[in-house]
Amino acid sequence: MDTTTKTNDIITLSIDGMSCGHCVKAVTKSLSEVPGVQVKSVAVGTALIEAKDESVAAQAMAALEAAGYPTRATTSAAPASGKVSRGCCG
């Protein structure tokens, strides 16, 4: 019997368009709404999340893109779409 369990991936996201506390709240809210994502920390320009797999990480990145925050993973997730958005302040 296999007793190993897959641990969640910790992913650091680099997020463009964040420049204030409102941006941090908006990014935190967007990430929190993605099933399978646990938000570890969010600061201007970066977020640390725990995702059950890379498809969930990609969903988190897509949610941020939809909210106006271009995102790229600096560890173990799919690349961002590359489209440019403004965030809340730009």
Side-chain angles (χ1 to χ4, degrees):
M1 175 201 266
D2 183 10
T3 59
T4 60
T5 56
K6 180 173 178 351
T7 59
N8 293 345
D9 293 326
I10 301 295
I11 300 155
T12 302
L13 301 174
S14 178
I15 306 166
D16 296 330
M18 292 179 71
S19 60
C20 67
H22 178 268
C23 295
V24 170
K25 288 179 185 176
V27 165
T28 301
K29 181 179 184 297
S30 292
L31 290 171
S32 297
E33 292 175 348
V34 178
V37 169
Q38 182 178 24
V39 179
K40 295 297 189 181
S41 67
V42 178
V44 173
T46 190
L48 184 66
I49 64 170
E50 187 173 345
K52 68 178 186 172
D53 59 42
E54 287 190 13
S55 68
V56 171
Q59 290 172 14
M61 293 171 66
L64 292 179
E65 294 270 344
Y69 297 96
T71 306
R72 62 194 171 281
T74 55
T75 57
S76 80
S81 70
K83 73 180 177 183
V84 177
S85 299
R86 59 172 170 51
C88 81
C89 301

